[in-house]
Amino acid sequence: MNRKVHTPYYLIFEDRLRSNGRILHDVEVRSGAKILLAEKAYSIYQTYAIISEYLSGTTSSGLFEAKLAHEEFGREKEIHVFEPAFDSDEMQELCQISDHLYFNSLNQLEYHRGVWLEEKRQREAADRTDLHIALRLNPELSTQEDHAIYDPCAPGSRLGIREVTLREYASKNLEQGQILPAGVDGLHMHTLCEQGFDDLQKTWRAFEEHFADYLRLPQITWVNLGGGHHITREGYDVDGLVKLLRQIHDTYQVQVYLEPGEAVVLNAGELVTRVMDIVDTEVYPVLILDTSAACHMPDVLEMPYTPPLREGIAVDQGREVDSSEDGRYIYRLSSRTCLSGDVIGDYAFDHELKIGDELHFEDMALYTIVKNNTFNGMPLPSIVLEHENNELEILREFSYDNFKARL
Ligand SMILES: *Cc1c(COP(=O)(O)O)cnc(C)c1O
């Protein structure tokens, strides 16, 4: 491809997808655990063929992501699906294309029992691989201080069944000797977000404290430790992780799963943008970029955080910095929308910027493209893949039609 790509666009790096993939595959091989891509974080299916070389399957958030995995991730790979509540109209199709289904409550499990049980029966009759059924459990241990919005263990959380609920079930069904509902063969937890091994270890201990006797039931043959493991980040204790995964397998005789999203595509993409105008203000000069935090990187406003920029350094929020200090040039990076708070952050550069300059926001493959919107009539950024030989391939370009089709 010779033509210059029009900004804004996401630039995905094949070599980074592969280096992350190798780290994760190595964990699979050494631990015996299986690792799944959480599609919620990254759904650029045009690159699934690369990722599926390293991983065992996907975790989908519902029918659409499951169909995407079914069509694009490779037929021999596993499809796991968790949704806080499943739609009855979708349940049958979901059962047909999934390998593992996760229910968020005993209500949901029973509400859909007729459909999933029928699918299990048919598979057994046809001698096909079973449909596995799990419950999502809540170990009630918060290990995240900074980002309550991403904490499934926060008080009042709707995510995961608490121990007290399972105990109630067991006491009601004591006469039948039923501790867990029939048909359930897996247990699931997901509590972390961008966290290291220590927090997983703490959380696993809490999980055992609450649920060890459920883990020991003969009907339980697999366990999924969710996502949020920052395995591909430099300094992650991969050896500790491998040891814990083996330990879990050996103690409870279960197949262990992990389902990271972020770790699969960490640092695997950039958002390339262009300076459209520079507006003088009484604080810093503001760069109007052809991208938007609200539309193209909503986590910047939701989380919130200031994304790394290849050409400059984020300036601490609230700290007074003289823009002439150290010969640095400080700008507020903002967007083309009409939302006054659509600000990405303040950054220091070692040179003056001018209209037309290109800037690269880093670590933009995850939780961006999947969250894009066309608020304010903003065009969606193109999606470009940089192959290992540095050749660029445009995967997708968007037009007015994409905007109109959603309205
Ligand atoms: C979001 C999510 C994941 C992936 O989380 P990451 O932080 O991207 O690793 C995995 N499992 C479940 C149930 C999730 O909701």
Side-chain angles (χ1 to χ4, degrees):
M1 192 203 77
N2 300 313
R3 156 168 92 88
K4 195 150 174 50
V5 190
H6 193 279
T7 56
Y9 61 94
Y10 295 99
L11 183 60
I12 309 292
F13 304 112
E14 179 180 353
D15 60 347
R16 300 283 180 78
L17 292 178
R18 290 193 183 277
S19 55
N20 288 341
R22 280 191 288 270
I23 293 171
L24 296 170
H25 186 67
D26 177 63
V27 171
E28 282 197 336
V29 170
R30 288 168 60 203
S31 69
K34 292 187 183 179
I35 301 186
L36 314 167
L37 163 71
E39 291 184 280
K40 179 183 75 184
Y42 179 85
S43 306
I44 302 309
Y45 61 86
Q46 298 91 331
T47 63
Y48 277 6
I50 299 168
I51 296 172
S52 71
E53 285 181 36
Y54 305 95
L55 303 186
S56 294
T58 55
T59 281
S60 312
S61 321
L63 181 61
F64 289 178
E65 287 185 3
K67 280 177 86 157
L68 193 66
H70 182 66
E71 292 169 6
E72 304 289 345
F73 204 80
R75 285 296 158 92
E76 76 288 5
K77 301 288 181 173
E78 295 181 17
I79 296 175
H80 295 229
V81 189
F82 165 79
E83 218 177 333
F86 290 103
D87 186 330
S88 302
D89 291 347
E90 300 177 347
M91 207 53 198
Q92 192 170 4
E93 187 176 4
L94 210 42
C95 283
Q96 284 163 358
I97 61 173
S98 307
D99 302 285
H100 296 240
L101 278 184
Y102 300 68
F103 292 96
N104 187 53
S105 71
L106 296 172
N107 268 341
Q108 274 283 303
L109 176 83
E110 298 308 332
Y111 189 77
H112 297 291
R113 178 179 287 275
V115 185
W116 59 258
L117 203 57
E118 177 56 25
E119 176 68 22
K120 278 171 83 77
R121 281 203 195 102
Q122 285 185 17
R123 290 192 190 198
E124 200 183 347
D127 206 18
R128 287 170 44 216
T129 43
D130 199 6
L131 172 65
H132 296 280
I133 303 292
L135 294 175
R136 176 168 175 168
L137 305 180
N138 183 340
E140 296 178 70
L141 179 76
S142 285
T143 51
Q144 309 186 40
E145 284 123 38
D146 306 342
H147 307 122
I149 185 178
Y150 300 128
D151 183 4
C153 295
S157 169
R158 71 188 181 289
L159 299 167
I161 304 167
R162 290 177 305 136
E163 182 187 352
V164 59
T165 310
L166 278 193
R167 300 277 173 220
E168 272 168 23
Y169 174 89
S171 67
K172 275 190 210 141
N173 294 277
L174 209 53
E175 277 167 36
Q176 295 93 316
Q178 195 75 39
I179 296 173
L180 272 183
V184 173
D185 57 4
L187 299 176
H188 177 230
M189 68 166 190
H190 169 71
T191 73
L192 306 178
C193 176
E194 299 187 338
Q195 282 166 279
F197 172 66
D198 284 356
D199 287 330
L200 172 61
Q201 198 165 30
K202 274 184 221 151
T203 305
W204 177 251
R205 270 193 219 118
F207 193 89
E208 280 184 310
E209 269 168 38
H210 289 287
F211 305 117
D213 38 349
Y214 296 97
L215 282 163
R216 286 200 190 88
L217 293 173
Q219 81 188 74
I220 297 302
T221 58
W222 59 283
V223 168
N224 184 333
L225 306 183
H229 319 285
H230 235 187
I231 303 169
T232 50
R233 183 180 65 196
E234 217 169 277
Y236 186 95
D237 183 3
V238 174
D239 292 337
L241 174 68
V242 167
K243 203 170 143 205
L244 176 70
L245 297 176
R246 294 202 67 89
Q247 234 168 42
I248 295 172
H249 168 270
D250 294 346
T251 309
Y252 301 103
Q253 297 302 311
V254 285
Q255 170 67 53
V256 183
Y257 286 92
L258 298 176
E259 49 180 15
E262 180 151 343
V264 180
V265 290
L266 193 65
N267 294 314
E270 293 180 343
L271 176 53
V272 186
T273 180
R274 193 166 39 89
V275 178
M276 300 180 80
D277 198 9
I278 304 176
V279 177
D280 228 0
T281 76
E282 74 284 14
V283 186
Y284 302 127
V286 175
L287 304 186
I288 297 186
L289 305 175
D290 61 3
T291 188
S292 152
C295 300
H296 307 150
M297 40 185 141
D299 277 0
V300 164
L301 304 178
E302 270 176 31
M303 202 171 193
Y305 82 108
T306 308
L309 184 75
R310 202 205 283 176
E311 294 82 2
I313 296 166
V315 172
D316 289 355
Q317 255 134 32
R319 191 165 67 92
E320 278 303 311
V321 187
D322 177 354
S323 48
S324 63
E325 180 195 322
D326 305 331
R328 296 194 302 169
Y329 296 84
I330 297 178
Y331 297 93
R332 176 156 296 171
L333 272 51
S334 188
S335 91
R336 192 183 167 190
T337 66
C338 300
L339 172 68
S340 53
D342 197 347
V343 171
I344 300 147
D346 299 338
Y347 293 82
F349 298 80
D350 63 6
H351 61 280
E352 196 171 353
L353 295 187
K354 48 187 199 315
I355 292 169
D357 283 352
E358 239 178 48
L359 296 174
H360 299 74
F361 288 103
E362 297 178 300
D363 198 16
M364 279 291 159
L366 46 98
Y367 294 107
T368 49
I369 305 166
V370 289
K371 289 187 158 193
N372 276 358
N373 63 76
T374 55
F375 165 63
N376 228 188
M378 284 286 282
L380 294 168
S382 305
I383 304 169
V384 180
L385 177 64
E386 183 177 316
H387 288 282
E388 283 188 299
N389 61 8
N390 298 328
E391 218 163 90
L392 297 185
E393 179 188 351
I394 297 181
L395 301 179
R396 276 282 261 168
E397 286 177 299
F398 301 94
S399 66
Y400 166 70
D401 294 339
N402 301 100
F403 166 68
K404 190 175 180 190
R406 297 178 8 147
L407 299 172

